[in-house]
Amino acid sequence: AFLFVFIPLIAAGGILGYFQVKKIIQANIERRLEDNTDSLVRLIKTSAAVSVKNRLHAIAEKNREIARFYYERYKSGIITKSRAKTVIKQIFAAQRIGMSGYIYCLNSKGIIVIHPEKKLRNSDVSSFAFIREQIRRKNGYLEYYWKNPGESKKRAKALYMVYFKPFDWIISVSSYRKEFKNLVDINDFRDAVLACKSGKTGYSYMLAEKGTAIVHPYFQGVNILERPDLPSGFFKEILKRKNGRMMYSWKNPGEIKPRMKLAIFRHLPEYKWIVVSSSYVDEVFAPLGKFKIFLLVFLGIAALLSC
């Protein structure tokens, strides 16, 4: 009677417990992957912002050195002051920051002395709040909104400015914020992304919106969508959804067969990147193997005791 009544009840309870433990383990790993992904997003945003600021600063300092070089040539009598300024303006005008950013200069009165837009040269722009801030500070990083002549709306920009006192020029290296990804050095945070592991072989990676693996332990710089030898269906889904979670099958180089993975992904729209944290399902549910063995042993002992 015990064998035919209680053993099925114990087995049913064990199976129910098995699936409950499985559910708890999955919820825990999803929460851990979400925490990893959110931490990476914060780290990448901070690192990218610092990288952009340092890049703009370096360009501004380099151009101040160029201005100082030609100023010293003028002071030495090699060229005239007018010629020195002309050459400097030509050098500044020839540079592009990112895709469409540029260098401009204004003096302490808010008059633009150098700008790629001819309509703005020699104009008084001191009425703009960010220009007044430039005049006040003369050095440092600044974010603002700007619309050039002929453009339909203002766009978010950032600049780094340095002051060249001999000519009373505030040299401003500016870039549109939507183009910041062109100024970021991936190496500033690549190691941090790769160091973010989950389980024994799970890892994190970054994708560009067009499918290129920006940071990946095996396919760095490869456009997954253009490789016929790699499964790309789930990548297309990640790129389409941009935020969320999904399961997919994947085989790394050197592995015998594909394994199921769980991935949590987040979108960074300002850089057009997607950050992914992934973990292999077999590693996630490895503790269930021990639970299953314990359950079978317990049922076996119960059956023996009932005889």
Side-chain angles (χ1 to χ4, degrees):
F2 180 85
L3 181 65
F4 289 104
V5 175
F6 289 100
I7 293 299
L9 290 176
I10 294 172
I15 293 171
L16 182 64
Y18 174 86
F19 285 105
Q20 188 63 30
V21 170
K22 183 177 181 180
K23 185 178 179 180
I24 292 171
I25 290 174
Q26 183 167 341
N28 287 338
I29 192 61
E30 285 187 14
R31 186 164 54 251
R32 192 182 310 160
L33 288 175
E34 286 177 355
D35 291 342
N36 286 348
T37 308
D38 292 339
S39 296
L40 280 177
V41 167
R42 290 192 294 270
L43 182 147
I44 290 167
K45 283 184 175 180
T46 301
S47 299
V50 171
S51 180
V52 169
K53 189 181 294 186
N54 289 341
R55 180 78 178 275
L56 295 177
H57 186 189
I59 296 172
E61 290 289 355
K62 184 64 178 178
N63 280 278
R64 180 161 60 177
E65 289 302 314
I66 291 172
R68 184 174 288 114
F69 172 79
Y70 284 100
Y71 174 74
E72 293 298 331
R73 285 174 67 84
Y74 148 67
K75 292 290 288 183
S76 300
I78 299 173
I79 57 176
T80 64
K81 187 176 184 179
S82 175
R83 178 60 182 165
K85 287 187 175 182
T86 299
V87 173
I88 295 169
K89 289 178 181 179
Q90 290 174 346
I91 294 173
F92 286 6
Q95 298 179 56
R96 279 290 171 266
I97 313 303
M99 296 294 292
S100 57
Y102 49 81
I103 299 173
Y104 71 90
C105 299
L106 65 151
N107 61 26
S108 297
K109 295 180 179 180
I111 307 298
I112 292 181
V113 293
I114 298 175
H115 199 283
E117 290 284 346
K118 292 182 180 180
K119 294 179 181 179
L120 292 173
R121 295 172 193 166
N122 301 315
S123 60
D124 186 345
V125 290
S126 58
S127 60
F128 292 95
F130 78 91
I131 293 292
R132 292 195 296 271
E133 183 68 12
Q134 283 194 264
I135 294 170
R136 185 183 70 84
R137 290 167 52 188
K138 292 185 171 61
N139 293 278
Y141 180 78
L142 188 64
E143 294 185 351
Y144 61 102
Y145 289 86
W146 179 253
K147 180 172 75 70
N148 284 315
E151 295 180 341
S152 59
K153 60 181 181 180
K154 291 182 178 180
R155 291 187 287 168
K157 294 193 74 175
L159 64 81
Y160 203 100
M161 54 187 166
V162 294
Y163 186 54
F164 186 59
K165 189 174 182 179
F167 289 163
D168 186 29
W169 285 358
I170 302 172
I171 302 172
S172 307
V173 178
S174 66
S175 174
Y176 290 98
R177 277 182 266 172
K178 72 175 184 178
E179 299 174 0
F180 272 9
K181 63 186 179 67
N182 299 305
L183 300 173
V184 173
D185 186 354
I186 302 297
N187 292 321
D188 288 346
F189 50 81
R190 182 178 183 273
D191 290 343
V193 174
L194 295 178
C196 191
K197 302 287 188 180
S198 179
K200 293 182 179 180
T201 56
Y203 52 82
S204 298
Y205 56 95
M206 286 174 55
L207 300 171
E209 286 184 356
K210 294 185 178 180
T212 300
I214 299 171
V215 177
H216 197 284
Y218 303 103
F219 299 103
Q220 176 89 15
V222 174
N223 190 317
I224 306 295
L225 303 181
E226 296 176 354
R227 287 279 298 269
D229 58 317
L230 296 175
S232 60
F234 67 91
F235 272 106
K236 291 178 182 177
E237 185 65 21
I238 288 176
L239 297 175
K240 178 182 177 181
R241 289 165 53 186
K242 293 183 172 60
N243 291 283
R245 64 175 293 279
M246 69 178 300
M247 303 273 285
Y248 63 93
S249 179
W250 180 257
K251 183 174 76 70
N252 288 314
E255 294 181 341
I256 299 173
K257 60 181 181 178
R259 291 186 291 163
M260 292 301 298
K261 295 188 76 174
L262 171 65
I264 304 291
F265 46 98
R266 297 283 184 268
H267 187 217
L268 278 72
E270 60 270 45
Y271 300 105
K272 297 184 178 180
W273 297 336
I274 297 172
V275 181
V276 187
S277 292
S278 64
S279 185
Y280 286 97
V281 173
D282 57 353
E283 294 178 2
V284 170
F285 295 128
L288 285 176
K290 294 180 180 179
F291 181 82
K292 189 186 296 184
I293 293 172
F294 169 79
L295 180 61
L296 291 174
V297 170
F298 179 80
L299 288 173
I301 293 173
L304 290 174
L305 291 175
S306 66
C307 296

